[in-house]
């Protein structure tokens, strides 16, 4: 199976959880702010809103799987302070997470992954021709929940933006990301 089909299947799985009424509970909203650090002098801020969060229990071999949708606005900068480029991205991603451990017996640790879609304003950025305004937003990370009723979380993740081979130019943009999120 090729990568485009895998991405489409993951995205459709996320969409199906949004509209499915079986085995779902605990829909909550959340907001997040992230700092992104990329290669060379590439950095950014990411503001995110999670309008929908739920849990899927219908996959026997996975157990309980948390799913949330995230809409984000990214502000990226590249270059020195007095001479830099700016780019913006709007993204929509289904994100899947699963608890794998607990820190000190009370702070859940979870892994997360997601593949979404994004739209960027400039296709020439950070010394690269990224090929298309349309990009995929991939993520892989670790989350720790904390605070009153575990409503806060911090995450460290790797994020990758690329057009998935839909264009001849596809160098991608890679970021390490530190995030703080709060459920409302």
């Amino acid at each position: 199976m090729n990568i485009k089909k895998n991405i489409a299947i993951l995205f459709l799985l996320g969409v199906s959880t949004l509209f499915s009424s079986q085995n779902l509970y605990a829909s909550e909203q959340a907001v997040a702010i992230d700092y992104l650090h990329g290669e060379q002098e590439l950095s950014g801020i990411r503001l995110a809103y999670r309008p929908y969060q739920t849990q899927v229990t219908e996959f026997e071999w996975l157990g309980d799987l948390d799913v949330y949708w995230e809409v984000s606005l990214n502000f990226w900068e590249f270059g020195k302070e007095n001479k830099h480029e700016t780019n913006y991205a709007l993204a929509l991603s289904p994100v899947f997470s699963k608890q794998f451990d607990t820190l000190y017996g009370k702070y859940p640790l979870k892994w997360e992954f997601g593949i979404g879609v994004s739209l960027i304003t400039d296709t020439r950025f950070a010394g690269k021709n990224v090929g298309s305004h349309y990009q995929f937003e991939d993520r892989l990370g670790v989350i720790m929940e904390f605070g009153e009723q575990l409503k806060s979380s911090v995450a460290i993740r790797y994020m990758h933006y690329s057009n998935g081979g839909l264009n001849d130019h596809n160098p991608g943009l890679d970021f390490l990301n530190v995030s703080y999120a709060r459920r409302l």
Side-chain angles (χ1 to χ4, degrees):
M1 189 180 289
N2 68 34
I3 192 161
K4 292 176 191 173
K5 285 184 183 178
N6 288 335
I7 290 168
I9 289 169
L10 282 173
F11 191 78
L12 289 174
L13 178 60
V15 169
S16 71
T17 63
L18 183 60
F19 297 107
S20 173
S21 62
Q22 296 178 348
N23 300 321
L24 303 178
Y25 70 89
S27 177
E28 290 191 28
Q29 299 176 35
V31 292
I33 184 166
D34 304 3
Y35 170 74
L36 299 99
H37 179 74
E39 60 195 59
Q40 299 172 4
E41 297 167 354
L42 180 57
S43 63
I45 297 290
R46 188 171 175 277
L47 305 173
Y49 173 64
R50 300 172 184 171
Y52 185 82
Q53 180 174 327
T54 192
Q55 191 172 72
V56 178
T57 59
E58 56 196 38
F59 300 109
E60 275 185 42
W61 52 276
L62 276 177
D64 296 344
L65 188 65
D66 296 326
V67 180
Y68 65 85
W69 280 88
E70 185 173 79
V71 176
S72 66
L73 182 58
N74 294 260
F75 305 94
W76 300 333
E77 286 189 338
F78 177 76
K80 302 209 182 289
E81 187 175 326
N82 293 330
K83 188 176 182 178
H84 67 270
E85 302 173 24
T86 304
N87 206 348
Y88 304 95
L90 179 63
L92 172 66
S93 295
V95 181
F96 303 89
S97 69
K98 179 163 181 59
Q99 184 173 340
F100 66 88
D101 205 353
T102 303
L103 190 63
Y104 301 118
K106 62 181 179 178
Y107 304 116
L109 294 173
K110 299 179 176 184
W111 58 259
E112 72 168 4
F113 73 93
I115 298 176
V117 293
S118 65
L119 179 64
I120 63 172
T121 56
D122 194 352
T123 61
R124 294 194 180 271
F125 180 67
K128 300 177 180 183
N129 177 358
V130 296
S132 171
H133 291 283
Y134 305 102
Q135 303 283 308
F136 292 101
E137 178 188 76
D138 308 333
R139 74 176 72 196
L140 183 61
V142 176
I143 304 167
M144 182 185 77
E145 294 179 340
F146 64 96
E148 183 182 323
Q149 298 176 341
L150 301 174
K151 287 193 172 208
S152 295
S153 65
V154 292
I156 297 173
R157 61 177 68 102
Y158 163 75
M159 296 191 79
H160 176 75
Y161 293 83
S162 74
N163 64 44
L166 299 176
N167 188 289
D168 290 340
H169 298 283
N170 187 28
L173 297 168
D174 296 306
F175 294 96
L176 288 178
N177 172 319
V178 177
S179 175
Y180 170 77
R182 173 103 174 135
R183 288 186 309 195
L184 304 176

